Amino acid sequence: GGYRTADQLRAEIQDIRGRTSAPFGVNLFVPADGDVDRAAIEGYIESLRPEAVRLGVALGEARSDDDGWAAKLEVVREERPAVLSFTFGCPPHETVATLRAAGIEVWATATDVAEARAARDAGVDAIVLQGIEAGAHRASWLDRVDAEGLGVVPLARIVASEIDLPLVAAGGIGDGAALAAVLAAGAAAAQLGTAFLLADEAGTNEAHRRALARDTPTALTRAFTGRLARGLVNRFMREHGAQAPVGYPYIHHVTAPLRAEARRRGDIEVFNLWAGQAHRLAREAPAGEIVRSLADDAQRAIADARRRLTRDGS
């Protein structure tokens, strides 16, 4: 539901419900909380003006908002999807309790053990563990410059050792073997994003699709939104990443016109090419075929590992 209005979110929920009787989930961004360096943001805006001139657009307004938080929560309470998951934080116990009382499972995303503990204490039903390998925004509750950045397997093992809740692993899971690995590490399920960017049904920009086919490294950057996110390295990241301040959603709104125009032109050197570290494993196919292949390959990987353990340990 990020960047959509409450009315748009309701319309999408109702559209999905009209297409399937299967359970589905909604994801919301928890509003940013914390001070920002306004002088650093203004300085960064000035550095972007030549990009705006080159593309013939005006920079967006550096503003903060709560993304329609209260209205979207009310929509979800009324529409009652099977699951409501949160990114960038977790609401307080009282809010979680009202959602659960409405028959909605509540999941929170965590990137370290402290966040996972806080999610547990808030009363969530499950925790999504996002490893440093993941594409797009880091789900960190605070965008800390000193964050450790745990990979999904060690994160799953550490959290599983002390928190008795279903865990959903996310980040760098690009094929069945990786799926098997996170299940073996203690996850009840896996959440994949980059693996579906080339799916037939995906709305991925065509230039973005072509970029994913290249042997391009990924990196974390604040250049596009003011919050750490992983994408394919391009010129914009190289030239602006070092000076981009912590400043979400201010920077997101500032660069939005640049990114929109670059997408329209197919200029992959300017807009954000979100992708995880395992993007080379993404393939073109119907989404259902990708899911079946992941499941089948995971079963084979588990069987192969069992055979190797039996052989080597006999």
Side-chain angles (χ1 to χ4, degrees), residues 48 81 114 120-121 129 146 166 189 217 224 236 238 291:
L48 296 179
R120 173 200 59 195
D121 296 344
L129 299 176
D146 61 344
F224 297 104
F236 196 93
R238 290 191 299 269
V291 171

Side-chain angles (χ1 to χ4, degrees), residues 76-136:
V76 172
R77 288 192 188 98
E78 293 173 357
E79 295 294 338
R80 300 190 180 189
V83 173
L84 174 60
S85 63
F86 293 103
T87 302
F88 304 156
C90 182
H93 191 281
E94 296 77 10
T95 302
V96 173
T98 63
L99 292 164
R100 297 185 70 202
I104 304 166
E105 281 198 18
V106 178
W107 301 5
T109 309
T111 60
D112 60 32
V113 181
E115 291 173 353
R117 290 171 182 150
R120 173 200 59 195
D121 296 344
V124 303
D125 295 282
I127 303 174
V128 181
L129 299 176
Q130 186 201 50
I132 194 69
E133 309 95 334

Side-chain angles (χ1 to χ4, degrees), residues 150-253:
L150 289 168
V152 66
V153 169
L155 179 59
R157 292 305 308 135
I158 295 168
V159 173
S161 71
E162 66 168 271
I163 294 180
D164 187 21
L165 281 174
L167 305 177
V168 180
I173 305 168
D175 61 12
L179 170 57
V182 295
L183 295 177
Q191 180 173 291
L192 288 73
T194 303
F196 290 97
L197 283 179
L198 297 181
D200 294 351
E201 299 88 345
T204 312
N205 176 276
E206 285 302 318
H208 193 167
R209 282 177 175 268
R210 293 192 297 271
L212 287 165
R214 300 181 180 181
D215 191 20
T216 306
T218 67
L220 291 168
T221 186
R222 293 185 177 88
F224 297 104
T225 67
R227 174 180 266 277
L228 272 185
R230 184 178 295 282
L232 301 176
V233 175
N234 63 3
R235 180 186 63 78
F236 196 93
M237 289 174 63
R238 290 191 299 269
E239 294 184 2
H240 300 290
Q243 61 191 27
V246 175
Y248 180 87
Y250 299 91
I251 302 302
H252 161 74
H253 292 304

